[in-house]
Amino acid sequence: MFAPNTAQRMITTQFSRKIWNPIRRAVKDYQLILPGDRIAVCISGGKDSLLLACALTMLQNISDIPFTVIGLSMDPGYTVQSRMQIENNIKKLGLETTWYATHLFETVNQETDNPCFLCSRLRRGSLYAKALELGCNKIALGHHFDDVVETTLMSMLYGGQVQTMLPKIRAKNYPGMQVIRPLYLVRERDVLAWRDTCELECLACSCDFAAKAKQENRSESSKRYEIKQLIASLEQQNDQVAKNIFNSVKNVNVDDILGWHKGKEQHTFLDDY
């Protein structure tokens, strides 16, 4: 059993090269945190959000940039066991969070076409509203490097477009609110290593749809899972594949692509031919 300060301190010691340094680089390179920021860290009970909350708590204590971290946890309708598991992990890591309840699962469980999309949209909107209520101007989410790479490849193979997950965005319907992703440069395998070293039992999605999919062994049919497996297979032959996919969306040569757009403004290679 690790003491809370030990679990947090491991981020800056044992995992400094794989986790701490990439977080600090992302914060600096993408200007994720500015003086006076009041950042809501959304703690959902998964490995990524728990790591993020620990890392930002550590960073808050040593950074030259003054900012405030506030833990924020939504109870969308957890079972007693799931809620207790999250609370135990938060206590084990020495974190604090503000809980609030919603009827999200009750709403989403009635959706049959695309419950995960609806859940994500409703969850995000609810968190924006609560964070604003708490006086926050930013929400920190636990998306990591692998999420970015998978999203990039999914947009190409299934969406027919070149699009990625940005390290920070402005909330469209909530003026003054931004989303930041401090784990942007951290590999998922290193998050898993930290989780296992801390002996955490993290919570996966616990809605009715996810429970039924797990019972029927349908989790492996998701498009994201297929992309994850494809990248893992390619990396067995070339360990730079994920990094190259990531770099491809920041090294776009507009002289050698068929077309692009910014908002509603469309362009093709013929514009300057």
Side-chain angles (χ1 to χ4, degrees):
M1 177 72 177
F2 285 94
N5 59 339
T6 302
Q8 291 190 24
R9 191 164 55 244
M10 280 194 298
I11 299 172
T12 63
T13 55
Q14 182 175 342
F15 292 95
S16 61
R17 187 171 68 86
K18 296 295 184 65
I19 293 178
W20 185 242
N21 292 346
I23 288 175
R24 299 195 70 178
R25 188 165 70 252
V27 168
K28 179 182 178 181
D29 290 353
Y30 302 122
Q31 300 176 16
L32 301 185
I33 299 176
L34 299 176
D37 278 345
R38 190 172 170 87
I39 305 171
V41 183
C42 301
I43 306 176
S44 64
K47 66 185 189 309
D48 308 316
S49 66
L50 289 170
L51 171 61
L52 177 60
C54 285
L56 287 189
T57 298
M58 294 285 291
L59 186 60
Q60 176 186 228
N61 294 333
I62 68 168
S63 177
D64 294 333
I65 300 174
F67 69 96
T68 303
V69 173
I70 297 176
L72 181 58
S73 298
M74 177 205 298
D75 185 336
Y78 290 131
T79 63
V80 174
Q81 293 80 1
S82 294
R83 171 73 178 254
M84 187 177 299
Q85 183 177 336
I86 298 174
E87 291 178 341
N88 287 340
N89 282 335
I90 290 172
K91 181 179 180 180
K92 184 176 183 179
L93 293 171
L95 300 171
E96 296 182 0
T97 193
T98 297
W99 281 97
Y100 74 101
T102 70
H103 299 286
L104 182 63
F105 282 172
E106 183 179 327
T107 300
V108 171
N109 288 338
Q110 299 175 22
E111 174 68 22
T112 57
D113 292 336
N114 198 342
C116 295
F117 173 79
L118 177 63
C119 181
S120 176
R121 184 166 61 84
L122 294 179
R123 182 186 295 268
R124 188 75 58 87
S126 176
L127 290 169
Y128 286 160
K130 190 64 178 181
L132 282 172
E133 181 183 316
L134 295 174
C136 298
N137 66 310
K138 290 181 179 177
I139 285 182
L141 300 181
H143 298 118
H144 47 65
F145 182 89
D146 295 73
D147 290 324
V148 178
V149 171
E150 291 160 14
T151 297
T152 302
L153 199 54
M154 285 178 67
S155 73
M156 296 176 66
L157 298 184
Y158 298 117
Q161 60 184 333
V162 177
Q163 182 174 305
T164 192
M165 181 184 289
L166 295 175
K168 63 180 181 181
I169 58 173
R170 291 186 176 89
K172 293 181 180 179
N173 299 319
Y174 295 84
M177 179 62 67
Q178 294 183 54
V179 173
I180 61 172
R181 298 182 169 104
L183 301 185
Y184 201 76
L185 302 178
V186 178
R187 292 300 305 256
E188 183 177 26
R189 61 188 177 222
D190 298 318
V191 181
L192 290 167
W194 174 81
R195 179 203 65 184
D196 294 343
T197 302
C198 292
E199 301 174 358
L200 296 173
E201 294 184 10
C202 296
L203 184 71
C205 184
S206 55
C207 69
D208 288 352
F209 178 78
K212 185 177 180 181
K214 182 177 180 180
Q215 184 179 14
E216 297 176 358
N217 195 30
R218 289 192 285 107
S219 60
E220 296 189 2
S221 65
S222 73
K223 297 303 181 188
R224 184 168 290 275
Y225 182 85
E226 292 175 10
I227 292 295
K228 186 184 290 289
Q229 293 300 104
L230 173 61
I231 294 172
S233 175
L234 293 172
E235 283 195 305
Q236 291 180 358
Q237 306 299 322
N238 179 359
D239 61 7
Q240 297 299 304
V241 163
K243 185 180 295 184
N244 288 340
I245 295 172
F246 180 87
N247 287 336
S248 70
V249 288
K250 64 178 183 179
N251 290 317
V252 177
N253 184 349
V254 295
D255 289 332
D256 293 319
I257 59 176
L258 285 172
W260 69 97
H261 67 87
K262 184 174 179 60
K264 295 182 179 180
E265 184 179 309
Q266 301 284 338
H267 299 273
T268 79
F269 77 101
L270 293 173
D271 292 350
D272 299 314
Y273 188 78

